Each structure stands twice: as structure tokens, then as C-alpha cells.
Amino acid sequence: DTRSDGEWTNDLLRPAAVDGTVCLDCHQDLQAPEKLAAHTHHEANSSGSACMNCHMPNTNVGFLRGMRNHRITVPRVQDSLATGRPLACNQCHLDQTLVWSGQHLSEWYGHNKAEVPAVHRDVAASLVWMWSGDAGQRALGAWNLRWPPALAVSGRDWTTPHLLALLEDDYPGIRQIALRSLEVNGVMEKEAVKVFAPEAERRAQMSAIRAAPGTQASTQPTTGPRPELLLMESGQLDAARIAALKSQRDPVPLSLAE
């Protein structure tokens, strides 16, 4: 399937849902661009004003891609903390914390501020889920790092080290998603790593990839250390903080049914 992730994912919705027509048929007070922008606090023609991105976000996994949840919901920090379902805000703003999202939701919509664990105060929420979460959260994290609306908002200069690390995940499906994201982002070619190969063979492949000058250059952030993104000044991952996050994972095996 050569279609982009955006085309493929939105293909599950009828056109009236993709452009928001079906939503605005009822919410007629938001039909005018200025009214819509006032409601969303994003430009009317931006991904942040697309109804489906806030109310039907890509919180499911299917065919090794993120897929939209067909339940219409309101993004709330409390719900994300209670269920583990990624907050829609942080699926676009991949480089922001859950506290950051909570502050905006409180200011804009009057949401009560939730008690947020310490880790969500200084680490981007997408990375908390990706490194401390279960296989489903990690799969969504790997896919989000190639989703065009998210990269347009959050940039991509910091994503490569995380995707390279996910190539060593215990789940081959997550390794495949990470590899595809690296391919889409122009970092490496398709099939550069045999994700179903024995561990020793994969480790040898990863060592060769990390030693390649082109790959090393692509891991360098554009500006200094970025602790909220678990990156040190060298552009390498902060191994100690990531190990601490990984220690919080629930090790029970998880099967994602298609």
C-alpha cells in the first residue's frame, strides 16, 4: 500500500467526517472559520482545528499503523492518566509534557487540573508512554514519530535516536513500525534491519547502522541538550532516564488483535 499514513488512516472515515462536515452539521455555531478558531485555539485551516484529531484521535493500532478511535471523546488529562490512552493534544505536540497540555485545557475549556505524576512534569508525554508504556502505547509512539501533522508541529530532528532504540524492542511488530517510521522520515531504507531475525543478528545490524556516518548525523538535535526529550547535548539518548522509565513497564505479554 503506497498511500501515505494520513490517507490510509483517514480512509476509514467517510469524507464528511474527514473534513468535519458531519460534525459542523450539528455544531453549526462553529461553521464560521473565526468561530472554529476561537473554539480550538488553533488556526481554522490547521490540523489543530480538525475535529477528528481532537475528538477521534489515533489511539488504536491496526495493520502496524495508528488508527482512529471511532468513539467520540473529549481530550482530558484525567482520562489519559486513568486509562493509559494517549491524550490527543500530545499526539500532535509530541515534544510537550502532559502538564503543558493540562494547563492549556484548563485555560481554554475550564478543565480541572489533574494531579500529574512527577515524570509527566519534565518529560514529553509521548516519550513517557513510549518508554514506560505497554506494547500498544509503544507501537503508537513509534507510529506517531512519522505522522505528518505531529512532525509539522513538533519537528523531527529529535526523533531518530528514539526510533533507532525501538528497533531493539522485544516485540517484532514494534520493531517493524519503528523501521517504517525511519524509512518514511528518510533516515534509512526499507528492510535495512531484519526485524524478525534472531537477536544476535539484529544486534550486529544495529551496531553497523549506529556506526554509519549518515545515521549518526541524523541523530544530532539542532540545539543543545533537550531533557524533556530525553536527549543529552551529544544528541544521544539519556540512557539512565530511559532505563528508569523502562523499569516501570508492565511485563505481562500483550497481544494486539487486528
Side-chain angles (χ1 to χ4, degrees):
D1 191 338
T2 59
R3 290 173 297 171
S4 70
D5 282 6
E7 292 174 303
W8 188 91
T9 302
N10 293 341
D11 192 44
L12 298 175
L13 305 178
R14 54 192 174 118
V18 174
D19 65 14
T21 301
V22 70
C23 307
L24 297 176
D25 281 346
C26 287
H27 296 278
Q28 296 182 10
D29 56 320
L30 301 179
Q31 287 183 351
E34 62 273 15
K35 295 290 187 180
L36 180 62
H39 171 68
T40 66
H41 297 270
H42 292 73
E43 293 183 10
N45 61 349
S46 71
S47 60
S49 283
C51 304
M52 59 183 179
N53 285 341
C54 291
H55 299 291
M56 296 175 65
N58 297 296
T59 54
N60 292 344
V61 179
F63 299 103
L64 299 179
R65 305 183 191 212
M67 296 173 63
R68 296 195 181 279
N69 186 340
H70 284 245
R71 176 179 295 172
I72 298 173
T73 59
V74 173
R76 292 189 179 92
V77 170
Q78 294 92 329
D79 295 345
S80 184
L81 290 172
T83 65
R85 184 174 60 246
L87 185 68
C89 309
N90 296 97
Q91 286 196 284
C92 271
H93 296 277
L94 300 175
D95 56 340
Q96 298 293 346
T97 66
L98 203 60
V99 166
W100 178 90
S101 297
Q103 289 174 339
H104 283 81
L105 291 171
S106 176
E107 293 170 5
W108 293 347
Y109 307 111
H111 288 197
N112 293 328
K113 289 187 178 180
E115 286 293 329
V116 176
V119 67
H120 274 296
R121 299 189 189 113
D122 54 16
V123 179
S126 64
L127 298 181
V128 174
W129 296 318
M130 193 165 72
W131 286 117
S132 67
D134 60 30
Q137 292 169 314
R138 302 204 300 278
L140 281 173
W143 180 84
N144 271 325
L145 291 184
R146 74 170 186 258
W147 188 44
L151 296 182
V153 171
S154 307
R156 70 177 68 205
D157 62 297
W158 56 274
T159 62
T160 297
H162 292 283
L163 288 170
L164 287 173
L166 284 176
L167 287 177
E168 300 181 84
D169 195 274
D170 293 339
Y171 285 74
I174 295 172
R175 299 197 295 266
Q176 182 65 44
I177 296 172
L179 178 60
R180 173 63 176 156
S181 293
L182 288 163
E183 178 197 353
V184 170
N185 291 350
V187 177
M188 62 177 58
E189 297 180 356
K190 185 178 182 179
E191 308 297 341
V193 174
K194 296 179 180 177
V195 297
F196 292 98
E199 183 177 2
E201 183 178 343
R202 287 188 284 107
R203 286 189 178 278
Q205 289 176 327
M206 289 304 303
S207 295
I209 287 170
R210 287 197 169 91
T215 303
Q216 289 300 318
S218 69
T219 68
Q220 300 301 316
T222 55
T223 56
R226 302 177 72 176
E228 76 283 3
L229 298 179
L230 303 174
L231 289 178
M232 299 185 294
E233 189 167 5
S234 64
Q236 302 301 311
L237 296 178
D238 190 329
R241 294 176 74 199
I242 287 179
L245 286 170
K246 290 174 72 173
S247 70
Q248 299 175 29
R249 288 180 182 175
D250 184 343
V252 174
L254 179 65
S255 176
L256 301 179
E258 298 291 358

